[in-house]
Amino acid sequence: MKGMVIKMNTAIEIKNLNHHFGDNNVLKDINLNITEGEIFGLLGPSGAGKTTLINILTGQLKASGGSCHIMGTSPTDMTGEHYKQIGIMMDNFGLYERMSCYDNLKFYQMIDNNRNINIELVLEDIHLLAAKKTPVMNLSKGMKNRLAFARAILRTPKILFLDEPTSGLDPTTVEAIHEMILAEKARGTTVFLTTHNMYEAEKLCDNIALLNKGKIVEYGSPQDICRRYNHQKKINIHLKNGSDITLEHNKESGVQIQTYFSNGEVETIHSTEPNLETIFMELTGRRFEV
């Protein structure tokens, strides 16, 4: 209906969250509101506090201060029924090395008492059916990651936590996992993704937060953040004759650009919007180091 405001339900709410290990403050006044069906990305270099925040949200750690709620419930109050609605993929989390691919998934199917899932179809979807009898210890890193992803979504969760799901993988496996993440979003799953991969964040995330030394230094959609820090506002054109032209971002330049295109002279054209890594460097003076 025209004029109707659609209110999105909150999946994850974090207010003034702090955590420290001894004298080391690893999370400082974190505030986030993540809506249902959103892919949210928490970006930052190793040691920024990304995994610590996931550990708190999933009940593996208790925060030193502040509050957080998953689907309206604090992690400290969650029961087994709550956890059945959550999928978690972390480094080597929940895979039994001596068990086969099939037996790993069958084990979790039995825990959840979910007889509706066909394990062989799941393995086929993640291209591991041929390896169903192979022990996890004999899988490549990419195969392990796909199996870990399948384990996390086996219960068709409402919220999916993914901690660096594509770290160290080849481009083909990265693309396969990206497709699986987008399929979960299409199903209505809320995805909380941590990464230091800028391309991954720009491709997948509806909103991101840049985390540096435990503090959120910027928040928004990847596109909006890049536009926000486009200080130069220039247009760079490379012509077919080898010339490079830089124009101001204004009406007069539009006329010149139209002339270049009308004459068939343009080889490439780009705006000067920065990428997320250059923005992070501007805000913190640090590179994203893995």
Side-chain angles (χ1 to χ4, degrees):
M1 182 181 294
K2 188 175 181 179
M4 179 181 291
V5 177
I6 300 175
K7 185 177 180 180
M8 302 298 291
N9 293 325
T10 297
I12 301 172
E13 183 181 50
I14 304 171
K15 292 184 177 180
N16 302 319
L17 191 114
N18 293 274
H19 192 71
H20 58 81
F21 296 108
D23 295 330
N24 184 18
N25 293 323
V26 293
L27 293 172
K28 307 167 187 175
D29 294 322
I30 303 297
N31 289 279
L32 288 169
N33 192 298
I34 301 167
T35 58
E36 291 181 356
E38 173 183 351
I39 298 181
F40 168 78
L42 186 63
L43 281 65
S46 296
K50 304 188 300 297
T51 300
T52 299
L53 183 54
I54 281 191
N55 286 337
I56 290 171
L57 293 174
T58 55
Q60 300 175 70
L61 277 177
K62 185 177 180 180
S64 302
S67 66
C68 56
H69 292 83
I70 311 297
M71 296 176 292
T73 303
S74 169
T76 56
D77 296 327
M78 283 187 180
T79 65
E81 290 304 310
H82 289 105
Y83 280 110
K84 284 184 179 180
Q85 301 179 69
I86 295 174
I88 307 172
M89 179 185 174
M90 304 180 79
D91 189 32
N92 293 325
F93 185 89
L95 293 181
Y96 293 92
E97 293 283 315
R98 295 180 181 274
M99 292 170 61
S100 69
C101 295
Y102 183 92
D103 287 342
N104 263 276
L105 296 186
K106 188 67 176 179
F107 175 72
Y108 285 103
Q109 181 190 39
M110 292 170 61
I111 287 178
D112 288 340
N113 194 27
N114 188 347
R115 295 188 177 92
N116 298 322
I117 293 176
N118 186 314
I119 300 298
E120 291 203 352
L121 286 179
V122 173
L123 290 170
E124 185 175 14
D125 286 343
I126 61 172
H127 307 293
L128 286 178
L129 184 58
K132 74 174 187 176
K133 296 182 179 180
T134 303
V136 168
M137 68 175 69
N138 295 334
L139 300 178
S140 68
K141 180 174 174 59
M143 295 168 78
K144 285 183 180 180
N145 276 40
R146 279 182 279 144
L147 184 63
F149 190 95
R151 187 205 63 78
I153 65 172
L154 196 64
R155 55 180 49 159
T156 58
K158 290 185 178 179
I159 298 181
L160 181 60
F161 290 95
L162 305 174
D163 190 19
E164 304 279 4
T166 60
S167 179
L169 300 183
D170 64 272
T172 300
T173 304
V174 168
E175 188 64 27
I177 291 179
H178 285 177
E179 288 177 4
M180 290 189 284
I181 293 172
L182 292 172
E184 283 302 297
K185 174 182 169 63
R187 194 176 62 78
T189 306
T190 304
V191 180
F192 188 108
L193 168 75
T194 73
T195 184
H196 53 250
N197 185 320
M198 300 298 101
Y199 165 75
E200 183 166 82
E202 291 181 9
K203 177 182 178 181
L204 299 177
C205 297
D206 298 295
N207 289 294
I208 64 168
L210 299 180
L211 190 69
N212 180 50
K213 297 180 180 179
K215 297 186 70 173
I216 292 176
V217 294
E218 189 55 274
Y219 171 87
S221 74
Q223 298 79 15
D224 285 346
I225 291 175
C226 289
R227 284 192 288 266
R228 201 179 303 156
Y229 286 85
N230 185 13
H231 307 306
Q232 296 185 45
K233 289 186 169 57
K234 305 277 187 181
I235 299 171
N236 295 323
I237 303 174
H238 181 74
L239 301 180
K240 292 179 180 179
N241 65 9
S243 300
D244 289 305
I245 309 295
T246 299
L247 300 174
E248 298 293 329
H249 199 288
N250 56 32
K251 182 188 294 186
E252 291 73 19
S253 295
V255 176
Q256 186 62 54
I257 292 168
Q258 183 179 13
T259 300
Y260 286 134
F261 273 108
S262 297
N263 295 336
E265 299 177 76
V266 177
E267 183 76 33
T268 62
I269 182 169
H270 301 282
S271 67
T272 55
E273 290 177 14
N275 59 33
L276 293 174
E277 183 164 4
T278 58
I279 291 170
F280 184 84
M281 288 177 61
E282 177 179 336
L283 290 170
T284 68
R286 302 176 61 196
R287 285 187 176 273
F288 271 89
E289 297 174 353
V290 300

